[in-house]
Amino acid sequence: MANDAASTSPFSNIVSKYRPDLKPYEELYKYYHANGELSTQEKETAAHITKKLQSLSSDLEIRTGIGGHGQIAILRNGPGSTILLRADIDALPIKEKTNLEYASTKTQLDVDGEVKPVMHACGHDFHITSLLAAIETLLAARDTWSGTIVFLFQPAEERGCGAQAMVDDGLYDAKKHACPIPDVVLGQHVFPLAAGTTGLRPGPLMSAADSFKITIFGHGGHGSMPHGTIDPVVIASYIVVRLQSIVAREVPPDETAVVTVGALQAGSTENVISDEAVIKINIRTVTVEWREKILASVRRIVNAECVAGNCPKEPTIEPTSSFPLTINDAETSAKINKAFTSYFGDTHIPDLKSVLGSEDFGILGSHINKPYCFWFFGGHDPKIFENSNSQHAVPVNHNPYFAPIIQPTLRTGVDALTVAALTYLGK
């Protein structure tokens, strides 16, 4: 429940009265945690969500198979605004090391044809469960609000393609999936904050992220005869070092950007010079201007080093994922900030610092030119989090030891979604 400041919220009594017993949802969370599925492979997760939605109410208009394994449930409850609440559903190719009783031991054949371990290491299991419990809450509380709510379960967020796939597949097309056009799009994410805490900020909240696979072409040969080869490893190494100069020497010191080389792959033995090298890079930016400039610098450096190295052909630069900037609408953020401050009191942070994580959530609003707001809610044991003297002491998102405490994390996620909905639709 909200802290002592909840008495200032017009919704605190509604939430406490209609929020269901969360014990079954704690077990549901454990199920999703133990049975995660990789991006674009979420078939069983989606089917389980559909079955749960059907059990909640026959009044939910459920539409499945949108952009892969995406789905929506529409709840119409009289005249008023239309809002959309979103949860993402995919897991990550990470081997879990938490030793929790409900830890994932699953593996799955990835789209690349490789068997990968699977773990919900980014909190999407909490997102699913929180939204389902919020649906039950809002169903029970129908006398207190009026309007239409779209509950959207999105696949493939981790690959940055799920939201785009849903809109490309006709999510909002009246002749296909016919999702009501929302007046506002709302969503949330578990984040490295103390459990029970919420936070957001107006304007830029999360960075753009662009990833590329770069292939450098050389001329292979015997390690004892390097003069008869063109070594792509050497050329790739120059590129890796030169890429670091973009942030250090091209980007202004007061501008935020990150260029990361996550992989450099070539050859398989020590005495053979390979004929190819592959570089995998990730770029994080917080403004459109510097996103474009840095991407141009990457291309310039890669092409120039290949010319300098006398490569037999031009490199290939293949995009592997792309996340847009997440820029919270100012008016929407002000409204949610006011509601959350009233409900959560001093455990809500209205001016959270922007982060360099990335999301494709905003596409669900920007595609139809509608405002959106995205917020965070904490998942870490407050005692451990507050007493931590090291940034590595608390396992963060995408860590194999990532293990948010179930409560009050789940309750906070449920309450945040419910309060946000009532803020727009409450009588």
Side-chain angles (χ1 to χ4, degrees):
M1 62 189 298
N3 64 17
D4 292 340
S7 60
T8 68
S9 171
F11 308 127
S12 58
N13 289 335
I14 297 173
V15 175
S16 62
K17 180 179 180 180
Y18 293 107
R19 186 203 306 117
D21 177 10
L22 292 182
K23 286 295 182 183
Y25 283 97
E26 292 177 14
E27 296 306 310
L28 188 62
Y29 161 75
K30 292 177 182 178
Y31 168 81
Y32 287 126
H33 184 86
N35 293 279
E37 295 176 290
L38 300 176
S39 300
T40 74
Q41 310 289 302
E42 313 95 340
K43 180 179 179 181
E44 296 302 322
T45 301
H48 196 278
I49 292 169
T50 303
K51 186 176 180 180
K52 177 63 178 177
L53 290 170
Q54 291 169 337
S55 74
L56 287 175
S57 174
S58 59
D59 292 336
L60 293 171
E61 301 173 29
I62 303 168
R63 296 167 192 170
T64 62
I66 308 173
H69 299 297
Q71 63 188 300
I72 57 174
I74 305 164
L75 179 57
R76 305 180 195 272
N77 188 38
S81 299
T82 297
I83 67 169
L84 186 151
L85 301 178
R86 174 267 207 174
D88 40 10
I89 68 174
D90 52 330
L92 285 158
I94 294 175
K95 183 175 178 60
E96 183 161 357
K97 299 180 180 179
T98 63
N99 292 321
L100 293 167
E101 62 176 356
Y102 51 90
S104 172
T105 58
K106 285 192 66 174
T107 60
Q108 193 172 26
L109 188 67
D110 196 0
V111 291
D112 300 323
E114 298 180 17
V115 176
K116 301 284 183 65
V118 184
M119 177 189 177
H120 266 300
C122 203
H124 297 189
D125 41 3
F126 270 111
H127 305 168
I128 299 168
T129 314
S130 295
L131 186 53
L132 288 170
I135 294 172
E136 184 171 352
T137 306
L138 290 162
L139 279 164
R142 274 183 283 190
D143 288 345
T144 71
W145 61 273
S146 182
T148 299
I149 309 176
V150 178
F151 305 102
L152 184 144
F153 296 86
Q154 181 205 306
E157 185 278 331
E158 295 294 354
R159 285 182 175 261
C161 60
Q164 191 66 52
M166 290 188 76
V167 298
D168 287 347
D169 190 33
L171 171 67
Y172 298 118
D173 187 338
K175 295 182 179 180
K176 195 165 187 186
H177 299 295
C179 176
I181 303 297
D183 297 300
V184 65
V185 176
L186 305 170
Q188 64 180 7
H189 205 297
V190 173
F191 192 70
L193 295 168
T197 302
T198 56
L200 65 87
R201 67 174 291 112
L205 176 72
M206 304 185 78
S207 73
D210 297 279
S211 295
F212 298 90
K213 174 186 175 183
I214 301 169
T215 303
I216 311 301
F217 300 99
H219 183 75
H222 200 289
S224 67
M225 295 180 280
H227 57 289
T229 72
I230 295 174
D231 191 341
V233 175
V234 173
I235 297 166
S237 299
Y238 277 119
I239 291 171
V240 171
V241 174
R242 179 70 69 180
L243 287 175
Q244 305 313 305
S245 70
I246 295 175
V247 174
R249 288 295 177 267
E250 296 185 34
V251 178
D254 60 350
E255 181 73 28
T256 301
V258 177
V259 177
T260 298
V261 177
L264 173 54
Q265 302 164 338
S268 58
T269 190
E270 68 277 5
N271 66 341
V272 177
I273 293 174
S274 176
D275 58 0
E276 287 186 8
V278 172
I279 303 170
K280 296 180 180 180
I281 67 172
N282 177 259
I283 300 153
R284 306 271 172 164
T285 50
V286 297
T287 63
V288 174
E289 176 189 5
W290 280 99
R291 183 184 193 184
E292 294 173 353
K293 288 183 177 180
I294 291 173
L295 293 179
S297 293
V298 168
R299 295 186 182 94
R300 183 193 76 235
I301 288 169
V302 170
N303 287 315
E305 290 294 347
C306 287
V307 170
N310 197 28
C311 290
K313 62 179 181 178
E314 293 182 353
T316 60
I317 304 176
E318 306 170 64
T320 54
S321 69
S322 181
F323 294 80
L325 287 162
T326 299
I327 304 176
N328 278 339
D329 175 69
E331 182 179 343
T332 308
S333 299
K335 200 166 184 174
I336 297 296
N337 257 333
K338 182 179 179 181
F340 281 12
T341 299
S342 176
Y343 184 82
F344 292 108
D346 57 11
T347 60
H348 176 63
I349 306 169
D351 56 352
L352 195 72
K353 290 183 178 179
S354 59
V355 301
L356 287 173
S358 301
E359 258 285 349
D360 64 351
F361 158 82
I363 292 171
L364 298 170
S366 63
H367 182 79
I368 49 174
N369 296 314
K370 294 296 182 180
Y372 63 80
C373 181
F374 196 69
W375 62 85
F376 297 117
F377 64 110
H380 294 298
D381 186 330
K383 293 180 180 178
I384 296 175
F385 187 83
E386 292 167 7
N387 294 330
S388 171
N389 58 9
S390 168
Q391 62 178 329
H392 304 296
V394 179
V396 298
N397 306 56
H398 292 218
N399 185 294
Y401 295 96
F402 183 71
I405 58 174
I406 295 180
Q407 294 293 10
T409 305
L410 178 59
R411 186 172 63 244
T412 303
V414 176
D415 289 5
L417 289 168
T418 306
V419 169
L422 292 172
T423 298
Y424 280 88
L425 305 179
K427 292 180 179 179

